[in-house]
Amino acid sequence: MTTQEVDQPYRLACLELHGGNQAGTYSAELPGLAGWISCRPLGASGGGDLYYLSACSQGVIARVALADVAGHGEMVSSSAVSLRDALREHVDHWDQSTLIRRLNESILKGAPHSRFATAFLASFYRESGELLFTNAGHQPPLWYRAAAKEWSLLLDSTPHSREIADLPLGLIAGTSYSQTAVQLEMGDLLLLYTDGISESSDESGEQLGLDHLLSIARGLPVESAAAAGRGLLSAVERFRGSVTQADDVTVVALERRGGPV
């Protein structure tokens, strides 16, 4: 499935929340970040991948949320409303621990017991370059550190990650979700993606997996978020060969940049 890319970058206004689960490919401008988004749902009415971008009232905090919801139709629509409402309420808050707890409880209360979602939330503070992130069972983003010219996986460093922390959303009431802060330098890149990328299969039935994904990342162009995002999708398509897309695919690429927003 292909989508036509929008030529002009979408610039988020203060307190704006932008995104969803509809097909689209475009660039975006957030406080301190240049972004590129590609959402490729399998269904014409949208898929289970949800993404949202927001900017705080002072234009210094950018937030990015990417979620993969199990189910379709009304299930996804309900999760989209919960995620959107929670992000809107907390758009001015740097701390996202309350946000992720509220999202977990809302999914538990408003859905069948078997339903859950993985999610990755990140808040970027333009003035310092700090990125605060919470990973709730989601695939770890790819992180390019421009100074070292190295790609790695952005992993949560909490020592409790193997216990009940950081589970997919909607499994256990009261789950604790950790927050990790890292420093983004100018030119650093982040590639957020859903499991439609990492679980892609080739003609022999072998899944891409995180190790191969990291190997692919080392050959990606790094001059911009858009170049890296497009390069990732192209590389995954080459890996699949003649195998068609079997799941929703969403990529959110981000680059730390200077200058006004």
Side-chain angles (χ1 to χ4, degrees):
M1 180 177 185
T2 58
T3 57
Q4 184 175 1
E5 184 164 352
V6 177
D7 292 334
Q8 294 298 318
Y10 185 89
R11 186 171 187 177
L12 268 77
C14 292
L15 294 178
E16 183 179 3
L17 194 62
H18 183 78
N21 69 336
Q22 300 299 309
T25 302
Y26 62 97
S27 296
E29 297 179 358
L30 298 91
L33 297 171
W36 183 85
I37 298 91
S38 177
C39 184
R40 300 180 177 183
L42 284 179
S45 60
D49 289 357
L50 300 171
Y51 75 91
Y52 287 103
L53 317 172
S54 70
C56 77
S57 61
Q58 302 302 313
V60 295
I61 298 175
R63 178 164 282 143
V64 179
L66 180 59
D68 188 351
V69 180
H72 56 275
E74 291 185 5
M75 288 185 176
V76 176
S77 297
S78 174
S79 290
V81 170
S82 296
L83 180 56
R84 196 167 55 237
D85 289 349
L87 289 169
R88 183 174 290 114
E89 180 180 339
H90 293 268
V91 68
D92 266 346
H93 300 166
W94 171 242
D95 185 339
Q96 55 193 32
S97 57
T98 303
L99 165 60
I100 194 72
R101 284 196 299 269
R102 173 185 163 177
L103 189 56
N104 183 58
E105 297 302 322
S106 66
I107 287 180
L108 275 168
K109 292 176 181 177
H113 180 69
S114 60
R115 179 177 155 226
F116 67 94
T118 67
F120 184 89
L121 296 178
S123 301
F124 178 74
Y125 189 52
R126 185 185 67 182
E127 301 301 314
S128 66
E130 288 177 289
L131 183 88
L132 188 68
F133 70 90
T134 301
N135 191 329
H138 200 75
Q139 302 294 312
L142 293 161
W143 180 17
Y144 177 73
R145 288 172 287 177
K149 297 182 179 179
E150 291 179 352
W151 284 94
S152 62
L153 296 172
L154 183 61
L155 299 170
D156 190 340
S157 59
T158 174
H160 304 295
S161 60
R162 293 188 180 275
E163 297 181 6
I164 66 167
D166 308 332
L167 291 174
L169 300 175
L171 290 182
I172 301 174
T175 297
S176 172
Y177 293 95
S178 64
Q179 300 182 90
T180 303
V182 295
Q183 181 73 30
L184 294 189
E185 305 296 345
M186 295 299 177
D188 280 10
L189 297 168
L190 287 177
L191 293 180
L192 283 58
Y193 55 91
T194 53
D195 60 10
I197 291 286
S198 56
E199 296 180 2
S200 293
S201 296
D202 64 11
E203 293 163 340
S204 69
E206 181 181 353
Q207 284 194 350
L208 179 61
L210 293 180
D211 289 342
H212 195 169
L213 181 62
L214 186 56
S215 177
I216 283 175
R218 295 185 179 115
L220 295 178
V222 295
E223 62 267 23
S224 68
R230 293 190 198 103
L232 178 61
L233 287 175
S234 296
V236 172
E237 288 176 356
R238 289 194 296 272
F239 171 80
R240 289 203 316 258
S242 62
V243 178
T244 59
Q245 178 181 327
D247 195 2
D248 304 321
V249 170
T250 301
V251 172
V252 178
L254 304 168
E255 177 193 10
R256 187 187 175 192
R257 62 173 190 177
V261 293

